[in-house]
Coordinates of all heavy atoms in Angstrom, one line a residue:
M1017 N 0.8 -1.2 0.0 CA 0.0 0.0 0.0 C 0.9 1.3 0.0 O 1.9 1.3 0.6 CB -0.9 0.0 1.2 CG -2.2 0.7 1.0 SD -3.3 0.6 2.5 CE -2.8 2.0 3.4
A1018 N 0.4 2.3 -0.6 CA 1.2 3.5 -0.7 C 1.2 4.2 0.7 O 0.3 4.0 1.4 CB 0.6 4.4 -1.7
A1019 N 2.3 4.9 0.9 CA 2.4 5.7 2.2 C 1.3 6.7 2.2 O 0.8 7.2 1.2 CB 3.7 6.3 2.3
Q1020 N 0.9 7.0 3.5 CA -0.2 8.0 3.7 C 0.2 8.9 4.9 O 0.6 8.4 5.9 CB -1.4 7.2 4.0 CG -2.7 7.9 3.6 CD -3.9 7.1 4.1 OE1 -3.8 6.0 4.6 NE2 -5.1 7.7 3.9
V1021 N 0.0 10.2 4.7 CA 0.2 11.1 5.8 C -1.1 11.3 6.6 O -2.1 11.5 6.0 CB 0.7 12.5 5.3 CG1 1.1 13.4 6.4 CG2 1.9 12.3 4.3
I1022 N -1.0 11.2 7.9 CA -2.2 11.3 8.7 C -2.0 12.3 9.8 O -0.9 12.3 10.5 CB -2.5 9.9 9.3 CG1 -2.8 8.9 8.2 CG2 -3.6 10.0 10.3 CD1 -2.9 7.5 8.7
I1023 N -3.0 13.1 10.1 CA -3.0 14.0 11.2 C -4.0 13.5 12.2 O -5.2 13.3 11.8 CB -3.2 15.5 10.8 CG1 -2.1 16.0 10.0 CG2 -3.4 16.4 12.1 CD1 -2.3 17.4 9.4
D1024 N -3.7 13.4 13.5 CA -4.7 13.1 14.5 C -5.3 14.5 14.9 O -4.7 15.2 15.7 CB -4.0 12.4 15.7 CG -5.1 12.0 16.7 OD1 -6.2 12.6 16.7 OD2 -4.8 11.2 17.6
E1025 N -6.4 14.8 14.3 CA -7.0 16.1 14.5 C -7.4 16.4 16.0 O -7.4 17.5 16.5 CB -8.2 16.3 13.7 CG -7.8 16.5 12.2 CD -9.0 17.0 11.3 OE1 -10.1 17.3 11.9 OE2 -8.8 17.0 10.1
E1026 N -7.7 15.3 16.7 CA -8.0 15.5 18.1 C -6.9 16.1 18.9 O -7.0 16.8 19.8 CB -8.3 14.1 18.8 CG -9.5 13.4 18.2 CD -10.8 13.8 18.8 OE1 -10.9 13.8 20.0 OE2 -11.7 14.2 18.1
E1027 N -5.7 15.7 18.5 CA -4.4 16.1 19.2 C -3.9 17.4 18.7 O -3.1 18.1 19.3 CB -3.4 15.0 19.0 CG -3.7 13.7 19.6 CD -3.9 13.7 21.1 OE1 -3.1 14.5 21.8 OE2 -4.8 13.0 21.7
C1028 N -4.2 17.8 17.5 CA -3.7 19.0 16.8 C -4.0 20.3 17.7 O -5.2 20.5 18.0 CB -4.3 19.2 15.4 SG -3.8 20.7 14.6
I1029 N -3.0 21.1 18.0 CA -3.2 22.3 18.8 C -3.2 23.5 17.9 O -3.1 24.6 18.4 CB -2.2 22.4 19.9 CG1 -0.8 22.4 19.4 CG2 -2.4 21.2 20.9 CD1 0.2 23.0 20.4
S1030 N -3.4 23.4 16.6 CA -3.6 24.5 15.7 C -2.4 25.5 15.7 O -2.7 26.7 15.5 CB -4.9 25.2 16.1 OG -5.9 24.3 16.4
C1031 N -1.2 25.0 15.8 CA -0.1 25.9 15.8 C 0.3 26.4 14.4 O 1.1 27.3 14.2 CB 1.1 25.3 16.5 SG 1.9 24.0 15.6
E1032 N -0.1 25.6 13.4 CA 0.2 25.9 12.0 C 1.7 25.7 11.6 O 2.1 26.1 10.5 CB -0.3 27.2 11.5 CG -1.8 27.3 11.6 CD -2.3 28.6 10.9 OE1 -2.1 28.8 9.7 OE2 -3.0 29.4 11.6
S1033 N 2.5 25.1 12.5 CA 3.9 24.9 12.2 C 4.1 24.0 10.9 O 4.9 24.3 10.1 CB 4.5 24.2 13.4 OG 5.8 23.8 13.2
C1034 N 3.3 22.9 10.8 CA 3.4 22.0 9.7 C 3.0 22.8 8.4 O 3.7 22.5 7.4 CB 2.5 20.8 9.9 SG 0.7 21.2 10.2
V1035 N 2.1 23.7 8.5 CA 1.7 24.4 7.3 C 2.8 25.4 6.8 O 3.1 25.5 5.6 CB 0.4 25.2 7.5 CG1 -0.1 25.9 6.3 CG2 -0.7 24.3 8.1
E1036 N 3.5 26.0 7.8 CA 4.6 26.9 7.5 C 5.7 26.1 6.9 O 6.4 26.6 5.9 CB 5.0 27.6 8.7 CG 4.3 28.9 8.9 CD 4.6 29.5 10.3 OE1 5.8 29.5 10.7 OE2 3.7 29.9 10.9
L1037 N 6.1 25.0 7.5 CA 7.2 24.2 7.0 C 7.0 23.4 5.8 O 7.9 23.1 5.0 CB 7.7 23.3 8.2 CG 8.3 23.9 9.4 CD1 8.4 22.9 10.5 CD2 9.6 24.5 9.1
C1038 N 5.8 23.0 5.5 CA 5.5 22.1 4.5 C 4.1 22.4 3.8 O 3.2 21.6 3.8 CB 5.5 20.7 5.1 SG 5.7 19.4 3.9
P1039 N 4.1 23.6 3.2 CA 2.8 24.0 2.6 C 2.3 23.1 1.4 O 1.2 23.2 1.0 CB 3.0 25.4 2.2 CG 4.5 25.6 2.1 CD 5.1 24.6 3.0
S1040 N 3.2 22.4 0.9 CA 2.8 21.5 -0.3 C 2.0 20.3 0.2 O 1.3 19.7 -0.6 CB 4.1 21.0 -1.0 OG 5.0 20.4 -0.1
V1041 N 2.1 20.0 1.5 CA 1.4 18.8 2.0 C 0.3 19.2 3.0 O -0.7 18.5 3.1 CB 2.4 17.8 2.7 CG1 1.7 16.7 3.3 CG2 3.4 17.4 1.6
F1042 N 0.6 20.2 3.8 CA -0.4 20.5 4.9 C -1.1 21.8 4.7 O -0.5 22.8 4.3 CB 0.4 20.6 6.3 CG 1.1 19.3 6.6 CD1 2.4 19.2 6.4 CD2 0.3 18.3 7.2 CE1 3.1 18.0 6.7 CE2 1.0 17.1 7.5 CZ 2.3 16.9 7.3
G1043 N -2.4 21.8 4.9 CA -3.2 23.0 4.9 C -3.8 23.3 6.2 O -3.7 22.4 7.1
F1044 N -4.5 24.4 6.4 CA -5.1 24.7 7.7 C -6.6 25.1 7.4 O -6.9 25.9 6.6 CB -4.4 25.9 8.3 CG -4.8 26.0 9.8 CD1 -4.3 25.2 10.7 CD2 -5.7 27.1 10.2 CE1 -4.7 25.3 12.1 CE2 -6.0 27.2 11.5 CZ -5.6 26.3 12.5
N1045 N -7.4 24.3 8.1 CA -8.9 24.5 8.0 C -9.3 25.6 9.0 O -9.3 25.4 10.2 CB -9.6 23.2 8.2 CG -11.1 23.3 8.0 OD1 -11.7 24.4 8.3 ND2 -11.7 22.2 7.6
E1046 N -9.7 26.8 8.5 CA -10.0 27.9 9.3 C -11.3 27.6 10.1 O -11.6 28.2 11.1 CB -10.2 29.2 8.5 CG -8.9 29.6 7.8 CD -7.8 30.2 8.7 OE1 -8.1 30.4 9.9 OE2 -6.7 30.3 8.2
D1047 N -12.2 26.8 9.6 CA -13.4 26.5 10.2 C -13.2 25.6 11.4 O -13.7 25.9 12.5 CB -14.4 25.8 9.2 CG -14.9 26.8 8.1 OD1 -14.9 28.0 8.4 OD2 -15.1 26.3 7.0
T1048 N -12.5 24.5 11.2 CA -12.3 23.6 12.3 C -11.1 24.0 13.2 O -10.8 23.5 14.3 CB -12.0 22.1 11.8 OG1 -10.9 22.1 11.0 CG2 -13.2 21.6 11.0
E1049 N -10.2 24.9 12.6 CA -9.0 25.3 13.3 C -8.0 24.1 13.5 O -7.4 24.1 14.5 CB -9.2 26.1 14.5 CG -10.0 27.4 14.2 CD -10.1 28.4 15.4 OE1 -10.0 27.9 16.6 OE2 -10.2 29.6 15.1
K1050 N -8.0 23.2 12.5 CA -7.1 22.1 12.6 C -6.4 22.0 11.2 O -6.9 22.4 10.2 CB -7.9 20.8 12.8 CG -8.7 20.7 14.0 CD -7.9 20.5 15.2 CE -8.8 20.5 16.5 NZ -8.0 20.4 17.7
A1051 N -5.2 21.5 11.3 CA -4.4 21.2 10.1 C -5.0 20.0 9.4 O -5.6 19.1 10.0 CB -2.9 21.0 10.4
F1052 N -4.8 20.0 8.1 CA -5.2 18.8 7.3 C -4.2 18.5 6.2 O -3.3 19.3 5.9 CB -6.6 19.0 6.7 CG -6.7 20.1 5.6 CD1 -6.4 19.8 4.3 CD2 -6.9 21.4 5.9 CE1 -6.5 20.8 3.3 CE2 -6.9 22.4 5.0 CZ -6.7 22.1 3.6
V1053 N -4.3 17.3 5.7 CA -3.4 16.8 4.7 C -4.1 17.1 3.3 O -5.2 16.7 3.1 CB -3.1 15.3 4.8 CG1 -2.1 14.9 3.7 CG2 -2.4 15.0 6.1
I1054 N -3.4 17.8 2.5 CA -3.9 18.2 1.2 C -4.1 17.0 0.3 O -3.2 16.1 0.2 CB -3.0 19.3 0.5 CG1 -2.9 20.5 1.3 CG2 -3.5 19.5 -0.9 CD1 -1.8 21.5 0.9
D1055 N -5.3 16.9 -0.3 CA -5.6 15.8 -1.2 C -4.5 15.7 -2.3 O -4.2 16.6 -3.0 CB -7.0 16.0 -1.9 CG -8.1 15.4 -1.1 OD1 -7.8 14.7 -0.2 OD2 -9.3 15.7 -1.5
G1056 N -4.0 14.5 -2.5 CA -3.1 14.2 -3.6 C -1.7 14.7 -3.2 O -0.8 14.7 -4.1
A1057 N -1.4 15.1 -2.0 CA -0.1 15.5 -1.6 C 0.9 14.3 -1.6 O 0.5 13.2 -1.4 CB -0.1 16.1 -0.2
D1058 N 2.1 14.6 -2.0 CA 3.1 13.5 -2.1 C 3.6 13.1 -0.7 O 4.2 13.8 0.1 CB 4.4 14.1 -2.8 CG 5.5 13.1 -2.9 OD1 5.3 12.0 -2.5 OD2 6.6 13.5 -3.5
P1059 N 3.3 11.8 -0.3 CA 3.6 11.3 1.0 C 5.1 11.1 1.2 O 5.5 10.9 2.3 CB 2.9 10.0 1.1 CG 2.7 9.5 -0.3 CD 2.6 10.8 -1.1
N1060 N 5.9 11.3 0.2 CA 7.3 11.2 0.3 C 8.0 12.6 0.3 O 9.3 12.7 0.2 CB 7.9 10.3 -0.8 CG 7.3 8.9 -0.7 OD1 7.3 8.3 0.3 ND2 6.8 8.5 -1.9
D1061 N 7.3 13.6 0.3 CA 7.8 15.0 0.3 C 8.8 15.1 1.4 O 8.5 14.8 2.6 CB 6.7 16.0 0.4 CG 7.1 17.4 -0.2 OD1 8.2 17.8 0.2 OD2 6.3 18.0 -0.9
D1062 N 10.0 15.6 1.2 CA 11.1 15.8 2.2 C 10.6 16.6 3.4 O 11.1 16.4 4.5 CB 12.3 16.4 1.6 CG 13.1 15.4 0.7 OD1 12.8 14.2 0.9 OD2 13.9 15.8 0.0
C1063 N 9.8 17.6 3.1 CA 9.4 18.5 4.2 C 8.5 17.9 5.3 O 8.4 18.4 6.4 CB 8.8 19.8 3.7 SG 7.2 19.6 2.8
I1064 N 8.0 16.7 5.0 CA 7.1 16.1 5.9 C 7.9 15.7 7.2 O 7.4 15.9 8.3 CB 6.4 14.8 5.3 CG1 5.5 15.2 4.2 CG2 5.6 14.0 6.4 CD1 5.0 14.1 3.4
E1065 N 9.1 15.2 7.0 CA 9.9 14.8 8.2 C 10.1 16.0 9.1 O 10.1 15.9 10.3 CB 11.3 14.3 7.8 CG 11.2 12.9 7.2 CD 10.6 11.9 8.2 OE1 10.9 11.9 9.4 OE2 9.7 11.0 7.7
E1066 N 10.4 17.2 8.5 CA 10.6 18.4 9.2 C 9.3 18.8 10.0 O 9.4 19.2 11.2 CB 10.9 19.5 8.2 CG 12.1 20.3 8.5 CD 12.3 21.3 7.4 OE1 12.4 20.9 6.2 OE2 12.3 22.5 7.7
A1067 N 8.2 18.6 9.3 CA 6.9 19.0 10.0 C 6.6 18.0 11.2 O 6.2 18.5 12.2 CB 5.8 18.9 9.0
I1068 N 6.9 16.8 11.0 CA 6.7 15.8 12.1 C 7.6 16.2 13.2 O 7.1 16.2 14.4 CB 7.0 14.3 11.6 CG1 6.0 13.9 10.6 CG2 7.2 13.4 12.8 CD1 6.3 12.5 9.9
A1069 N 8.8 16.5 13.0 CA 9.8 16.8 14.0 C 9.4 18.0 14.8 O 9.7 18.2 16.0 CB 11.2 16.9 13.4
S1070 N 8.7 19.0 14.1 CA 8.4 20.2 14.8 C 7.0 20.3 15.3 O 6.6 21.3 15.9 CB 8.8 21.4 13.9 OG 8.0 21.3 12.7
C1071 N 6.2 19.3 15.1 CA 4.8 19.3 15.6 C 4.8 19.2 17.1 O 5.2 18.1 17.6 CB 4.0 18.2 14.9 SG 2.3 18.1 15.6
P1072 N 4.4 20.2 17.8 CA 4.4 20.2 19.3 C 3.5 19.1 19.9 O 3.7 18.6 21.0 CB 4.0 21.6 19.7 CG 3.3 22.2 18.6 CD 3.8 21.5 17.3
A1073 N 2.5 18.7 19.1 CA 1.5 17.7 19.6 C 1.9 16.3 19.2 O 1.2 15.4 19.6 CB 0.1 18.1 19.2
E1074 N 2.9 16.2 18.4 CA 3.3 14.9 17.8 C 2.2 14.1 17.3 O 2.0 12.9 17.5 CB 4.0 14.1 18.9 CG 5.3 14.8 19.4 CD 6.1 13.9 20.5 OE1 5.7 12.8 20.8 OE2 7.1 14.5 21.0
C1075 N 1.4 14.8 16.5 CA 0.2 14.2 15.9 C 0.2 13.9 14.4 O -0.8 13.6 13.8 CB -1.1 15.0 16.3 SG -1.1 16.6 15.7
I1076 N 1.4 14.1 13.8 CA 1.5 13.8 12.4 C 2.3 12.4 12.3 O 3.3 12.2 12.9 CB 2.3 14.8 11.7 CG1 1.8 16.2 11.9 CG2 2.4 14.5 10.2 CD1 2.6 17.4 11.4
E1077 N 1.7 11.6 11.4 CA 2.3 10.3 11.2 C 2.3 10.0 9.7 O 1.5 10.4 9.0 CB 1.5 9.2 11.8 CG 1.9 8.7 13.2 CD 1.0 7.6 13.7 OE1 1.1 6.5 13.1 OE2 0.3 7.9 14.6
V1078 N 3.3 9.2 9.3 CA 3.3 8.6 7.9 C 3.1 7.1 8.1 O 3.9 6.4 8.8 CB 4.6 8.9 7.1 CG1 4.5 8.3 5.7 CG2 4.8 10.4 7.0
E1079 N 2.1 6.6 7.5 CA 1.8 5.1 7.6 C 2.1 4.4 6.3 O 1.9 4.9 5.3 CB 0.3 4.9 8.0 CG 0.0 5.1 9.4 CD -1.4 4.6 9.8 OE1 -2.2 4.2 8.9 OE2 -1.7 4.7 11.0
Ligands
SF4_1161 S1 2.2 21.1 13.6 FE1 0.9 19.6 14.6 S2 -0.2 20.7 16.1 FE2 0.6 22.2 14.7 S3 -1.0 22.6 13.3 FE3 0.3 21.0 12.4 S4 -0.6 19.0 13.1 FE4 -1.5 20.7 14.3

């Protein structure tokens, strides 16, 4: 199965760090105030590792 980027929205504290570091993969939903993974984003994008490392809630995973 292809890799998939997942955000645990329950845990997301809306800091937008992932969006700043990796805007090709992460977006921010102003309605829910949670980050989301952009449809069709490349799960192998290099910036994902950076976003995972800097997420204060540790709620980003690649499966
Ligand atoms: S870095 Fe983590 S806590 Fe911050 S917006 Fe992204 S998913 Fe949410």
